[in-house]
Amino acid sequence: MGYVLLEVYKSDDINGPTVGEILEISPDYGGNQSGRHNYIVAYNVSDMKMILTGSSSPYNTMFAISKSEYDRLFSQYGANCPVATRVATTGSEQNISNIQVLTLAYFSPSPDDSKTYVTSYAAIFPGSFSVREISTEDTLNVQGVPIYTTEPQAQEAIGDGTWSYGSLHPDPFDGAGNSGTGGGGGNFNYASDPPDGARDDADPSISVVDTGFITLFNPTIQELKQLAQYLWSGAFDLNNFKRVVNNPMDLIMGLSMLPVPIPNGQRVEVGLGLTGSGVYMTKASSQWVTVYCGSVDLSLKDFSVSYLDFDPYTSVEIYLPFIGSRTLKADEVMGHVIELTYKVDILSGSCVAWVDAIYKNKSRNLYAFMGQCAQSLPVTSGDWTNMINGIISVIGGAVGGAAVGGAAGAIAGGLAAASSAVVNDSKINVERTGSIGSGGGFRGPKHPYVVINTPNICKPDNQAAYEGYPAYFTQQLAALSGFTIVESVNVSNIPATEAELTEIKDLLLSGVIL
Amino acid sequence: MSFNITIQVNSSPKNKIGKTLTDIQTLSGNLKDESSIIDPIFLVDSTITELRKSNYCTIGAWGRKYFINDIKTIRQGLIELHCHVDVLESFKTEIRSQTAIIKRNQYASNTFLNDGYFKVYQNPNVVYRKFPVGLTASELVLALAGDF
């Protein structure tokens, strides 16, 4: 037949009605009751009749049928309707107020008539229901053994006429796995790795000045003029240069201006090609330059020493020369000393600004922002073109100086809805600078600075006496004084009536004066 | 059965544990039929004029203290006191001995906890902090091919 067997359990939680249908009606074999049981699978929980074919016989079949189907069957089969027959002869009709679970089974007796076997089963229904007799307030007994089968097979039934019921709701997430306990057991070891601030970081061991292909000089203006005069003087023999390069200007890799002191080495005569120029300049001893800009103390003592000093209520921005303004996370920098170090490559002019914070007396790098701090000075027409183009591209990238965006997003759940948070989030964020590269860096501010935007607290007089301040600790009430609101307390050991205990707890949770 | 009712004046907030009570007089009273220990109605021989300032009473035999919510005249010289138990004062010793998780307190607090009670002005504080050393140099770097 292909029935899907029901797995049914008793349900104590009787919910609302579900929709059902008749799936099969067995013929009435008539004759001896034993071995001849009819079953009807149907349900309509709002209008159900439970028909018992007997109260104690192990062969009894219990089933339910909707009133409309009852009427239809009776009209169709008349006296031969198994339901009608049962009711008419041995059945006792019970009104059922709600049905959540229904299963029907076809019983057959054992050869010695000592047991009853379930030989076929009712079809499955969507939904779930349970059965309760209204007249006696008894809930039908339950056996919790699940029975699943798709074809009739013999199983030993419950001899005392009890039934097992189960939920008919298909679980759409069946197979997702069972829930269980978990989590916890952490060591709360929040130790960090060793510090790695700018001052702990060594420069590369190899510099271009060591290669022999390029020499970096730190000339004075006067020395540059002397070199230029030599190039355009009669002492400059172009024939000698043709042996080395086509264009003597190819020997000049670049001339730039930088905002950092250059480490000085030897003072040597500058030669171009195979000829000395008679001009002396100081060599740069290293390609790498580090400038320590000092520190800024963002101690909370200068602010409110409260949650308002951190994200999202307080915002922190840092202006970095030759880079621009950048945002720092208040959670990471507030309450700490911030150090700034520029690491510069004087050959390319690239610079990296290290923003470190002092945690537990150790400098730890938090941010590294890259920029360009060399102003290229043209020595040829090609240099001039490249320089202008470079400046234009930087300006083009800095067009986004307009106000950008608004809130960083709604305050995450769990945070108290402080007005300051709403204020911060509802205000637009504005870029203080665009990208300040080499083209404009020398005309921008040269000193780095930090801007902290922090709430301006509005505090009424004696606020603590009316509202208290936030706390979250366990304490005996006798150790406290003043206005107090309790988060959680157990007062059941107080010798008072239940109503008094409820009032005590309500008052403690709403606020008392100790 | 009559018992002593100490008529008092409470000058403390209702939610205070350890109230300041001033005795006015002690009367002998009875409990009106079908009264409860939580919301009792006492019958005392007195007048509204005598009790007009009272708002509190103590029933020593019951170990409880009460707010007097209403005073009604039954007849000349007979007063009904409609009361409600002051659970905080009646059980103050037991309450103080309880240990609890404290949510807010007037004196003991942790300001690093988020708090929705604070209000802020629309104009924030803008603080400017400058680093002591800037990139103020103007140095020339000439890169030439070759080794000198």
Side-chain angles (χ1 to χ4, degrees), chain B residues 48-110:
Chain B
I48 288 183
T49 304
E50 289 179 358
L51 302 180
R52 70 184 187 282
K53 290 185 179 179
S54 59
N55 61 3
Y56 207 84
C57 66
T58 298
I59 311 297
W62 295 0
R64 279 170 170 76
K65 298 174 182 296
Y66 293 89
F67 298 108
I68 298 176
N69 292 337
D70 199 3
I71 303 173
K72 289 186 176 178
T73 296
I74 303 302
R75 65 172 189 274
Q76 183 68 27
L78 183 63
I79 295 292
E80 270 187 4
L81 299 177
H82 293 243
C83 301
H84 179 73
V85 64
D86 180 0
V87 292
L88 293 180
E89 203 62 22
S90 300
F91 302 99
K92 63 182 177 184
T93 303
E94 293 87 349
I95 292 173
R96 282 177 172 152
S97 70
Q98 301 301 312
T99 298
I101 296 177
I102 308 302
K103 184 176 182 178
R104 302 187 72 83
N105 183 259
Q106 182 172 351
Y107 300 111
S109 62
N110 188 326

Side-chain angles (χ1 to χ4, degrees), chain A residues 180-468:
Chain A
T181 58
N187 293 326
F188 302 101
N189 177 12
Y190 299 121
S192 297
D193 288 339
D196 186 21
R199 289 190 279 182
D200 294 296
D201 182 77
D203 290 331
S205 58
I206 299 175
S207 169
V208 71
V209 300
D210 302 323
T211 64
F213 284 95
I214 297 176
T215 301
L216 298 177
F217 293 95
N218 177 216
T220 64
I221 287 289
Q222 188 61 32
E223 291 163 353
L224 268 183
K225 285 183 179 178
Q226 291 173 355
L227 183 62
Q229 286 166 0
Y230 167 77
L231 285 172
W232 300 110
S233 71
F236 182 70
D237 186 354
L238 194 59
N239 292 325
N240 284 337
F241 284 92
K242 286 181 180 176
R243 298 178 193 180
V244 182
V245 294
N246 277 334
N247 185 345
M249 300 308 292
D250 290 343
L251 295 172
I252 301 176
M253 310 293 289
L255 175 66
S256 55
M257 181 169 66
L258 284 100
V260 296
I262 307 301
N264 290 160
Q266 288 179 294
R267 192 166 173 76
V268 298
E269 181 183 6
V270 175
L272 291 171
L274 302 175
T275 307
S277 63
V279 179
Y280 284 79
M281 292 182 184
T282 305
K283 290 168 60 172
S285 61
S286 174
Q287 179 183 358
W288 317 112
V289 173
T290 297
V291 176
Y292 177 62
C293 297
S295 62
V296 164
D297 189 358
L298 299 183
S299 169
L300 295 185
K301 293 194 308 296
D302 294 339
F303 300 90
S304 67
V305 196
S306 73
Y307 70 100
L308 292 170
D309 296 335
F310 300 94
D311 290 320
Y313 311 103
T314 289
S315 64
V316 181
E317 279 191 29
I318 186 170
Y319 168 76
L320 300 166
F322 299 93
I323 296 175
S325 289
R326 296 290 183 269
T327 300
L328 307 180
K329 255 185 94 61
D331 284 352
E332 293 175 341
V333 300
M334 290 300 291
H336 301 286
V337 173
I338 306 301
E339 294 186 317
L340 177 63
T341 305
Y342 269 78
K343 288 182 178 283
V344 181
D345 171 11
I346 63 173
L347 176 63
S348 65
S350 64
C351 61
V352 176
W354 288 52
V355 179
D356 304 332
I358 307 294
Y359 288 115
K360 296 181 181 178
N361 299 321
K362 299 292 184 183
S363 179
R364 299 185 182 279
N365 177 248
L366 295 179
Y367 305 87
F369 301 106
M370 191 164 177
Q372 173 61 251
C373 67
Q375 171 72 65
S376 179
L377 303 177
V379 295
T380 65
S381 61
D383 289 347
W384 170 263
T385 303
N386 290 338
M387 181 192 75
I388 295 300
N389 287 339
I391 292 173
I392 291 174
S393 68
V394 168
I395 292 175
V399 165
V404 288
I411 301 295
L415 290 180
S419 295
S420 54
V422 175
V423 166
N424 256 350
D425 255 22
S426 64
K427 297 187 177 181
I428 58 174
N429 297 319
V430 178
E431 281 193 36
R432 300 181 188 282
T433 69
S435 176
I436 297 185
S438 57
F442 275 93
R443 303 306 300 157
K446 306 289 193 312
H447 265 90
Y449 56 86
V450 175
V451 179
I452 303 108
N453 196 308
T454 190
N456 188 5
I457 298 174
C458 173
K459 179 187 165 312
D461 285 342
N462 216 14
Q463 180 182 13
Y466 292 98
E467 297 175 339

Side-chain angles (χ1 to χ4, degrees), chain B residues 3 30-36 40-43 74 80 82:
Chain B
F3 42 81
N30 291 296
L31 191 63
K32 188 176 178 181
D33 291 345
E34 296 185 13
S35 291
S36 74
I41 301 175
F42 301 114
L43 295 170
I74 303 302
E80 270 187 4
H82 293 243

Side-chain angles (χ1 to χ4, degrees), chain A residues 463-483:
Chain A
Q463 180 182 13
Y466 292 98
E467 297 175 339
Y469 288 140
Y472 202 75
F473 51 79
T474 304
Q475 183 60 278
Q476 191 182 46
L477 296 182
L480 297 171
S481 61
F483 180 76

